[in-house]
Amino acid sequence: MDCLPKKSEVLLDEEIEKQEFVKIINSIYKQECYIYAVIPEWEEELFNEHSNDFIIINKIRFTLTRIFPRTIGFLGYVKDRKKQYIYEFYLRSTTMDFLVFSETDVTQHLNILNGEELRYLQHI
């Protein structure tokens, strides 16, 4: 049986500084960190900032919990070796329904996900 990665939950101050946040992340993820996300199409600033590094796997049309009506989200990831993007994604986590930080590389499985499967994962 495969060993599942350890799940960590850390309570943060609402106004945590970038340096302190990255320090906490470095204590959890010793190597690189994968950032998996569905970025809503209207998050143009985030796309522009990370357009060279955010790898889009799939364009998904579905209802994001915090957005009405249906919108398009871009499913993808960033392999953040230096932990340079993780704070910006964290700051936008309140406007993104699907955001996961992980040390596990599951990028080869992302292309099989669709809107229905993401809604299911959201409720786990």
Side-chain angles (χ1 to χ4, degrees):
M1 182 173 184
D2 292 338
C3 181
L4 295 174
K6 184 174 77 172
K7 181 179 176 181
S8 297
E9 184 174 342
V10 178
L11 300 177
L12 303 172
D13 291 332
E14 283 186 36
E15 298 178 12
I16 190 168
E17 298 286 328
K18 181 177 183 176
Q19 183 177 359
E20 182 64 25
F21 181 79
V22 172
K23 181 180 172 185
I24 292 169
I25 293 298
N26 280 329
S27 72
I28 298 169
Y29 304 113
K30 306 296 184 202
Q31 305 283 321
E32 68 254 350
C33 177
Y34 290 86
I35 304 169
Y36 302 102
V38 176
I39 300 178
E41 67 180 340
W42 49 265
E43 278 280 10
E44 292 178 34
E45 184 180 330
L46 190 60
F47 276 120
N48 292 338
E49 288 176 14
H50 308 301
S51 62
N52 293 334
D53 299 306
F54 185 78
I55 299 169
I56 297 173
I57 300 296
N58 205 351
K59 190 174 174 179
I60 300 173
R61 183 173 196 85
F62 68 110
T63 304
L64 296 170
T65 303
R66 296 180 177 95
I67 303 166
F68 181 82
R70 291 171 61 100
T71 189
I72 292 178
F74 297 95
L75 171 64
Y77 70 96
V78 173
K79 186 174 182 179
D80 197 357
R81 289 183 177 98
K82 298 178 184 176
K83 315 230 181 33
Q84 60 190 358
Y85 304 119
I86 200 161
Y87 186 70
E88 286 82 18
F89 276 90
Y90 165 73
L91 290 177
R92 295 185 192 268
S93 64
T94 59
T95 62
M96 296 169 59
D97 284 337
F98 301 100
L99 178 64
V100 175
F101 302 133
S102 177
E103 61 188 359
T104 305
D105 180 359
V106 295
T107 55
Q108 70 274 14
H109 303 290
L110 292 180
N111 60 352
I112 62 172
L113 290 177
N114 60 36
E116 285 299 317
E117 290 163 336
L118 287 172
R119 271 191 286 286
Y120 172 75
L121 290 174
Q122 185 179 30
H123 298 291
I124 293 180

